Amino acid sequence: MSEKLVRIDKIDRRILECLQQDGGLTNQELAERVGLSPSPCLRRVRALEEAGVILKRVTLLERKKLGLSLTAIILISMDRHIPERFEEFQKRIEECPEIQECYLITGHDADYMLKAVVPDMDVFQELLLNRITRIPGVSGVHSSFVLRRVVDKTDLPLGYV
Amino acid sequence: MSEKLVRIDKIDRRILECLQQDGGLTNQELAERVGLSPSPCLRRVRALEEAGVILKRVTLLERKKLGLSLTAIILISMDRHIPERFEEFQKRIEECPEIQECYLITGHDADYMLKAVVPDMDVFQELLLNRITRIPGVSGVHSSFVLRRVVDKTDLPLGYV
DNA sequence: GCCAAATTCGCAAACACCTTGCGGGCATTT
DNA sequence: AAATGCCCGCAAGGTGTTTGCGAATTTGGC
């Protein structure tokens, strides 16, 4: 299910490029852009979904319009590197809707890198002090805040496919 | 255009929750889920788009199926903090399709935090040495690599709206 | 380089969905 | 209590999706 042996030709790549950019495209528009008639185009999209290349379609919302004006980058270190601690940490992090990303990373500075979206500093403080630092094993926490979004996109580079 | 005075009631919130999770929902399905008939539902969606709350719809793809198995977190420091350097840096970063996120951040450790998606270490090395570190003003670079994606989602927390 | 097999295309028809104007009901205001 | 404005649902026409099928193209073997 997760092997990467998926044949992707020129047309598939253009389909993926278009859909990455605009998931609201009708099949007709998509077909026109990739130079195909609607039916084979839809069949290719279905096949790409079936193959697991296309994961899901989502709608992106504007943070500021929703009063979510603060984005924080949090680096976290764990004291004892035992599996149970990591499992527990990950479970607790998944429960926080404010956390959009959480990666286990290499390097000695930190074990986890998180990105959180909150309305303001008060909520951030609550998240950090009441929820994150209370998780067993969390020893070091370092937070930065996003001043400016230079790049913030979801599309993958398809030039290597 | 970017003020946040947007009236969002219970139904709008449910619409946004549904669309964040599944952008491929038909208007009929959406209407049913939020307890509305198709026409007022579509009108609300249109209004939310018009108001700029709904930004765009995108399709998320599976990295590994496309041979993009390496994700890097890069922290960058700049030597002289003059506007021209930052402008130039940002312009050059935008040209890299591998860079999905680039934030200007607070804190003394770094000025920018980037996330890059690449096929392998060779490409990462090329990106880092030939493109990023060659940008005038870049003085410090620290890279980490993603070992495991604990959380990786695009939906915002709507509990505060 | 040719032929057979498999794949993938485009067409057309049936179906589902979107989209608009309109009338009616509910809430808020005067 | 009446008037106003807002938002709902209905219905009809237009648009897009989806399926089977025959034709064309590509793939692989000899």
Side-chain angles (χ1 to χ4, degrees), chain B residues 9 18 37 70 94 133:
Chain B
D9 64 14
C18 289
S37 75
L70 190 61
E94 281 166 21
T133 58

Side-chain angles (χ1 to χ4, degrees), chain A residues 90 98 101 104 148 160, chain B residues 90 98 101 147-148 160:
Chain A
Q90 292 172 182
E98 297 92 344
E101 298 177 37
L104 178 64
R148 180 163 139 64
Y160 301 103
Chain B
Q90 293 171 182
E98 297 91 344
E101 299 177 37
L147 298 173
R148 179 162 140 64
Y160 301 103

Side-chain angles (χ1 to χ4, degrees), chain A residues 1 23 53 55-57 60 62 65 90 98 101-104 106 115 145 147-148 150-151 160, chain B residues 1 23 53 55-57 60 62 65 90 98 101-104 106 115 145 147-148 150-151 160:
Chain A
M1 239 288 183
V53 180
L55 268 184
K56 67 185 294 195
R57 290 171 203 231
L60 303 180
E62 174 62 53
K65 298 274 183 179
Q90 292 172 182
E98 297 92 344
E101 298 177 37
C102 172
Y103 303 128
L104 178 64
T106 64
K115 191 175 93 179
F145 300 98
L147 297 173
R148 180 163 139 64
V150 179
V151 174
Y160 301 103
Chain B
M1 242 288 184
V53 179
L55 269 183
K56 68 185 295 196
R57 291 169 201 232
L60 304 180
E62 174 61 55
K65 298 273 183 178
Q90 293 171 182
E98 297 91 344
E101 299 177 37
C102 172
Y103 304 129
L104 179 64
T106 64
K115 190 175 94 179
F145 300 98
L147 298 173
R148 179 162 140 64
V150 179
V151 175
Y160 301 103

Side-chain angles (χ1 to χ4, degrees), chain B residues 2-35:
Chain B
S2 200
E3 295 85 82
K4 68 172 171 184
L5 282 169
V6 189
R7 275 177 39 92
I8 289 172
D9 64 14
K10 272 285 180 34
I11 298 177
D12 286 329
R13 231 192 66 174
R14 292 188 60 189
I15 287 175
L16 295 176
E17 280 170 356
C18 289
L19 287 181
Q20 270 199 136
Q21 226 72 38
D22 186 356
L25 230 49
T26 66
N27 183 55
Q28 262 189 181
E29 290 168 326
L30 179 64
E32 195 174 356
R33 290 194 197 183
V34 304

